[in-house]
Structure formats: C-alpha cells, structure tokens
C-alpha cells in the first residue's frame, strides 16, 4: 500500500520531462496514485503523452487554462470517467518574455493582465471546477516562488502574479476548509525548466543558490515532488492555506 493508493487526481502543467509538475507526478505515481494529465497545445501533447503513458495515466486531455470551456471540458470528462477525485496539482505560469527582462515599470497593461490571468486566476478557476468532484480530505496544490514575497531581480510581473496566487491560496483555503478540502502552495527554489528559462539572468539565480541558500545548492524537481506528495497526502491533513518552502533561498537578498 502506497501513501496515495486509491487516490485519483489531475496534474495541470507538465510541458516536458524537466517540468516541476512531472517531478510531482512521478512521486504521486510511485506512491500509488492514479493520474490524469492535461497539456496546453498539440506541440506539447507530443512531449506530455509519452510521459503520462509511462506512469499509466488514465486520461490525457487538452486544456488551455485561459479558456473556461477547456477547463469545463476537462472536469466533465474526469467526472464521466472517475466521478470523484482526491487532488489537483496546478503548476502553471506564463508571462511575456520581455516582462521578465525589462524594468518592472515598463510592464504593459496587457502583459500585467496576461501574467495575472494565467499565473494566478487559473488557480481559482481550476479549484472552482474541482470542488464538486473533490472527496472530503481532498487537496489542491499550486507552485509559487520567493519573488511573491521579495523583489527578486527580473522576476517582475511574475512576482506580482505569485503574490496574488499566494493570497488566492489563503482565500480558497478559508472558503473550502469546512468541506474538508485543503489548498496549499509550494515555493520552490530556482530550477531550470522551460518556464524559468524565460526569466532574465536566470542562470545567476541558480548560482546564487550555491552561495546563499541554506543547503548551498539548488533543489530538484524530485525534491519538490516529495514535498508535494506530503502536501497532497493525508500526512498533511492539518495543513492548509500554507506556502511551504522547498529551499527557495530565503537568505537571497534582492538587489
Ligand atoms: P514548465 O514550463 O515546465 O511548466 C509551466 C507550465 O505552464 C507548462 O506546462 C505550460 O504548458 C503551462 N502553461 C502555460 N500557459 C498555460 C495555459 N494558458 N494553459 C495551460 N497551461 C499553461 O516550468 P516549471 O518551472 O515546471 O513551472 C511550473 C510552476 O512552477 C510554475 O507555476 C512556475 O512559476 C513554478 N515555479 C517554478 C520555479 C522554477 O525555478 N522553475 C520555481 C518556483 C516556482
């Protein structure tokens, strides 16, 4: 019996084998969970499908989270096939590349809205869709970063979106706690992925971790996955509305 045996859930946010969501999915699978995956578009489907199949995914569904109809279609299909679920992983973010490089004051209205929509609002939409399907004891988990709480160079509009995401975690947790459902975030240290490569001077953030982070190294997708397993399992049954740091380098000073 694994920690997640008999539990079923949806993973939003695998793009490739470097994705944090994939690190989470592997841990959940190893612990006995049954998984459904979504992919953003056809190009990514080619990457996601073989990964999902390798962990015996029961559903692999398209979902552009900027479209309410896509979110509705995912939950309709999951309800049809499974009826109920136990967890949702939201590991999704997006901002225009120039907004992760130019001075923050140059962020356009459209770029600001886009980052907030995809990186923060989608947690609200994904949680709302999941609520009718989540069993008591169910859990929602999202991914955030230190840039929500401090001014990390170049993180810019994404830091503002992550602050909104972290506040959303608290409001959602407060709302759904009475239904026995938990909502949390993991704040991971910098990891090389498709999304993080868009952040200006990202390599410097990786190197700074060696110097300043408590563990004097970066963390891995596997380590985030292990914390996610804890947060999504019954081991964290009393934990909600929290931001759980997986060495985000809290000694890291903005400048
Ligand atoms: P990634 O590129 O592997 O994952 C980002 C995912 O977001 C991709 O799967 C992409 O398809 C998806 N996405 C973007 N726009 C979407 C849309 N409109 N609809 C549906 N999906 C969409 O990169 P990652 O680093 O694994 O990012 C996962 C999460 O972890 C993000 O929230 C990111 O901010 C967060 N995070 C990353 C780091 C890091 O250093 N890599 C650190 C802390 C937090």
């Amino acid at each position: 019996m694994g920690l997640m045996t008999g539990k079923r859930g949806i993973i939003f946010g695998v793009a490739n084998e470097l994705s944090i969501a994939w690190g989470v999915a592997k841990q959940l699978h190893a612990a006995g969970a049954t998984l459904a995956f979504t992919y953003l578009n056809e190009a990514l489907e080619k990457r996601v499908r073989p990964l999902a199949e390798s962990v015996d995914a029961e559903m692999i569904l398209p979902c552009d989270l900027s479209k309410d109809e896509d979110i509705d279609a995912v939950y309709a299909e999951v309800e049809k096939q499974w009826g109920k679920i136990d967890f949702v992983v939201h590991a999704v973010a997006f901002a225009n590349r120039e907004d992760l490089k130019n001075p923050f004051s140059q962020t356009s209205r459209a770029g600001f809205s886009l980052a907030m929509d995809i990186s923060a609002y989608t947690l609200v939409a994904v949680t709302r869709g999941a609520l009718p399907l989540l069993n008591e004891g169910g859990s929602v988990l999202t991914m955030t970063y230190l840039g929500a709480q401090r001014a990390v160079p170049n993180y810019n509009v994404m830091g503002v979106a992550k602050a909104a995401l972290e506040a959303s975690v608290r409001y959602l947790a407060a709302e759904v706690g009475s239904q026995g459902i938990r909502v949390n975030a993991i704040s991971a240290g910098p990891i090389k992925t498709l999304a993080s490569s868009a952040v200006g001077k990202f390599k410097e953030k990786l190197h700074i971790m060696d110097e300043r982070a408590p563990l004097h190294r970066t963390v891995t997708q596997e380590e985030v996955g292990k914390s996610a397993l804890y947060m999504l399992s019954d081991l964290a049954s009393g934990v909600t509305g929290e931001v759980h740091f997986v060495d985000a380098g809290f000694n890291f000073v903005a400048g």
Side-chain angles (χ1 to χ4, degrees):
M1 281 281 284
L3 205 50
M4 299 298 283
T5 300
K7 307 262 190 212
R8 293 193 277 216
I10 312 171
I11 316 268
F12 293 90
V14 177
N16 58 33
E17 68 288 348
L18 293 178
S19 294
I20 290 175
W22 178 237
V24 174
K26 282 193 287 188
Q27 292 296 323
L28 290 168
H29 172 69
T34 302
L35 303 175
F37 289 81
T38 67
Y39 55 87
L40 172 58
N41 53 35
E42 275 179 31
L44 288 177
E45 181 185 6
K46 290 190 187 70
R47 299 281 191 139
V48 176
R49 189 166 285 281
L51 294 173
E53 284 171 355
S54 75
V55 292
D56 309 316
E58 293 197 354
M59 282 172 262
I60 307 167
L61 305 167
C63 186
D64 180 341
L65 285 170
S66 67
K67 297 178 179 158
D68 288 336
E69 59 272 25
D70 279 21
I71 301 173
D72 292 345
V74 167
Y75 284 115
E77 187 59 28
V78 168
E79 185 174 21
K80 196 169 102 191
Q81 293 204 33
W82 285 349
K84 288 286 186 178
I85 58 174
D86 300 287
F87 61 87
V88 173
V89 175
H90 172 275
V92 169
F94 188 80
N96 289 326
R97 197 169 270 265
E98 66 264 26
D99 291 333
L100 301 171
K101 199 175 62 182
N102 293 339
F104 176 59
S105 62
Q106 300 305 307
T107 311
S108 67
R109 191 182 295 268
F112 193 98
S113 298
L114 177 69
M116 287 293 259
D117 181 19
I118 304 303
S119 313
Y121 176 73
T122 58
L123 176 71
V124 180
V126 157
T127 304
R128 183 172 61 244
L131 281 180
L133 306 190
L134 277 167
N135 284 317
E136 199 177 337
S139 182
V140 177
L141 182 67
T142 188
M143 295 295 153
T144 185
Y145 176 63
L146 185 66
Q149 301 182 8
R150 297 194 190 172
V152 173
N154 296 308
Y155 205 60
N156 296 358
V157 71
M158 190 58 85
V160 175
K162 291 299 192 192
L165 181 76
E166 292 183 10
S168 302
V169 164
R170 290 185 284 274
Y171 278 95
L172 289 167
E175 178 187 330
V176 303
S178 58
Q179 298 166 52
I181 294 165
R182 299 179 295 108
V183 184
N184 289 290
I186 285 180
S187 186
I191 300 176
K192 193 167 181 280
T193 63
L194 203 59
S196 65
S197 66
V199 180
K201 300 192 180 160
F202 182 74
K203 277 195 191 134
E204 284 178 18
K205 290 183 182 40
L206 292 174
H207 292 140
I208 282 172
M209 294 298 284
D210 296 340
E211 211 180 288
R212 299 198 201 164
L215 293 174
H216 292 282
R217 61 170 177 83
T218 55
V219 291
T220 63
Q221 287 87 338
E222 185 187 359
E223 287 173 320
V224 178
K226 287 192 288 187
S227 280
L229 174 60
Y230 156 72
M231 295 297 260
L232 292 168
S233 79
D234 201 46
L235 290 178
S237 60
V239 181
T240 193
E242 286 291 323
V243 175
H244 169 94
F245 281 86
V246 180
D247 200 346
F250 51 76
N251 290 327
F252 182 74
V253 178

